[in-house]
Amino acid sequence: GAWSEVDETVVMDRLAGLVADARVLRCDGRWCVPAAVPPLPRTLAAAADALVGAYSKAGLQPPFDHPLRDAQPDPARAARALAALRERGVLIQIDSRQHIHREAARGLVEQVVAALSAGTSIDVQWCKQRFALTRKHAVPLLEWLDRSGITRRVGDQRVAGGQRELG
């Protein structure tokens, strides 16, 4: 059919652009327009608000998920809220133990792309100095940038990857 002739790279690039512009979101394992994303259930609202506040305040130094989740009055509800926030694109999972608020991630990506465009050498030390981070936070962020296609690791350095925007 018609789809057999479509270049998958072109489709994925266009989809990444729509996601970066928040014109398309991932919800419950499907792609949808923001108007079709159901609001968070009221039962998750308090936990979601607490989580969003904590991750927003943390910036590029996110806490580990489990202590933050377990500190909530209902940790199981907080776990469901965390998953719902991730599906709605409010929080981005940087590794198996941490999330980051979308706005912090967007700022990180913009600054890394600008630095790479200016010819700056990106490595752990640069990340630590530029964002006032410890290695504990810098390494997972750089690895997430690699997995996201923003950067590509070559030895100890990061070079530009195929993506230039947060997907």
Side-chain angles (χ1 to χ4, degrees):
W3 283 106
S4 64
E5 298 175 18
V6 175
D7 182 352
E8 182 179 348
T9 305
V10 172
V11 172
M12 294 308 292
D13 285 346
R14 183 64 182 134
L15 182 57
L18 292 170
V19 169
D21 294 340
R23 294 175 63 196
V24 173
L25 299 173
R26 188 129 173 109
C27 182
D28 297 327
R30 294 179 297 224
W31 295 105
C32 56
V33 295
V37 176
L40 281 172
R42 287 182 5 181
T43 58
L44 299 180
D49 288 347
L51 291 170
V52 168
Y55 285 104
S56 181
K57 182 178 178 184
L60 295 177
Q61 299 179 36
F64 288 114
D65 296 333
H66 68 278
L68 185 59
R69 180 191 61 227
D70 293 348
Q72 299 299 311
D74 184 343
R77 187 170 288 167
R80 290 192 308 275
L82 183 65
L85 291 167
R86 182 178 55 246
E87 284 185 342
R88 285 161 174 79
V90 176
L91 299 178
I92 297 171
Q93 190 168 19
I94 58 171
D95 63 23
S96 64
R97 303 175 303 160
Q98 291 179 297
H99 287 74
I100 190 171
H101 192 278
R102 174 171 281 288
E103 291 309 310
R106 185 182 316 274
L108 171 68
V109 168
E110 288 172 357
Q111 291 187 52
V112 166
V113 167
L116 289 168
S117 296
T120 301
S121 179
I122 304 289
D123 60 10
V124 173
Q125 190 62 32
W126 176 88
C127 189
K128 286 171 52 179
Q129 290 177 345
R130 178 70 181 95
F131 300 107
L133 301 173
T134 64
R135 184 175 185 82
K136 170 186 167 184
H137 291 105
V139 170
L141 291 171
L142 288 169
E143 290 173 348
W144 171 75
L145 288 168
D146 294 342
R147 285 190 308 278
S148 299
I150 303 297
T151 58
R152 186 172 44 87
R153 185 174 177 174
V154 177
D156 290 337
Q157 302 294 312
R158 263 53 182 203
V159 298
Q163 292 288 113
R164 300 198 38 92
E165 295 178 340
L166 181 60

